[in-house]
Amino acid sequence: MADENEQQSACEAGRDEQHCKCRQRRAEAAAANASAAQQPAAHHCTCKHDGAAEAGDEQPKHCACKHDAEGHAISTEPHLGYVADLASLIEIQQESTVSRVVMREDGLRVVLFGFDKDQALSEHTAAMPVTIQVLEGKLRVGGEGREVELVPGGVVYLSARLPHTVYAVEPSKMLLSMFDNRG
């Protein structure tokens, strides 16, 4: 049990690459977000390990955690995920659209977007249902022959594979929640 606790602590601290690639994923996230000139969101691996290597084993046992399609650890046990002050995690950049993944959980990915005025996401579809919320600013979201102005306090739901567009009426910060129920 002590070895298992030590592995979990090492994994959470990002020191145990044999069991989890937390440190590598944190480094990748930091590099991807360097252009936004911000600290990366803390990544907390919630892996629960099979246990330490048995005496005489050369290789330690691998973790029994579940990973998403991109290899990020996903908890298989009930837990509470939390991100404080979402709007502060992304900056609006002049004449640009920037994005940043701030949460990955089983069946959920949360992405922040920063749009300068008149920036847009051209018509596209998502393979899964999504919701869009505005944290700051004003967006125009179009889909299914309809267009809505979205301001803080509102929410838009888009079903999977629905062609849609997003246009920034003014500098805006958007929260996109992607619900992957494909298993």
Side-chain angles (χ1 to χ4, degrees), residues 101-112:
V101 175
V102 294
M103 182 179 282
R104 292 177 200 273
E105 295 291 344
D106 191 19
L108 173 69
R109 185 175 353 170
V110 178
V111 183
L112 287 177

Side-chain angles (χ1 to χ4, degrees), residues 75-156:
S75 175
T76 57
E77 295 186 15
H79 68 284
L80 182 143
Y82 176 70
V83 178
D85 195 15
L86 287 165
S88 72
L89 297 178
I90 199 156
E91 295 295 323
I92 296 171
Q93 295 184 13
Q94 190 172 12
E95 297 182 18
S96 296
T97 299
V98 294
S99 65
R100 176 179 185 193
V101 175
V102 294
M103 182 179 282
R104 292 177 200 273
E105 295 291 344
D106 191 19
L108 173 69
R109 185 175 353 170
V110 178
V111 183
L112 287 177
F113 283 81
F115 294 92
D116 197 7
K117 182 180 192 299
D118 297 325
Q119 295 299 304
L121 298 178
S122 59
E123 187 173 75
H124 63 285
T125 64
M128 60 201 71
V130 302
T131 61
I132 297 174
Q133 295 173 277
V134 173
L135 302 175
E136 297 174 5
K138 184 188 298 184
L139 298 174
R140 201 166 32 241
V141 180
E144 205 171 49
R146 224 174 121 189
E147 200 168 76
V148 297
E149 282 204 349
L150 189 59
V151 296
V155 63
V156 168

